[in-house]
Amino acid sequence: MIDPGRLKTRLVIEAPIEADDGQGGVARSYSAVATVWAAVLPARMTRAVEADADGALVHLRIVLRGGFALTLRHRFIDGAKIYRITALREIDERRFVEIDAEWRID
């Protein structure tokens, strides 16, 4: 059972908005859809190279109350940090959602 008192980090949930870019592709932006309380727990860190740039990926476990229609295309904002959802599952009789996420540090 999850202790609701551990949900002490304020996160903004953003959903993608895609528009035609006029060249056969899409231009993606994000729009805030909700602000929630969550528990953000670091799981591990790995080295990552993206576009020839060294960095690190911090893998996180995020727990929040259920009731949101989240997908892998949503993301979380925590101040200047952007958390990308990599997996999600319902726990504790569907009252909470446990999310695996990544935060890239350049």
Side-chain angles (χ1 to χ4, degrees), residues 17-85:
I17 299 172
E18 294 181 348
D20 182 19
D21 69 356
Q23 298 180 2
V26 287
R28 182 175 299 132
S29 62
Y30 287 85
S31 175
V33 294
T35 302
V36 297
W37 289 104
V40 179
L41 308 164
R44 62 188 168 92
M45 181 180 266
T46 57
R47 181 174 178 261
V49 177
E50 190 173 297
D52 287 336
D54 269 338
L57 277 180
V58 178
H59 300 270
L60 306 161
R61 186 173 74 104
I62 299 172
V63 178
L64 55 100
R65 288 189 181 275
F68 297 97
L70 292 174
T71 68
L72 297 178
R73 299 184 59 183
H74 287 83
R75 69 182 189 182
F76 294 102
I77 303 296
D78 181 7
K81 301 173 190 170
I82 298 173
Y83 303 142
R84 185 176 69 87
I85 299 172

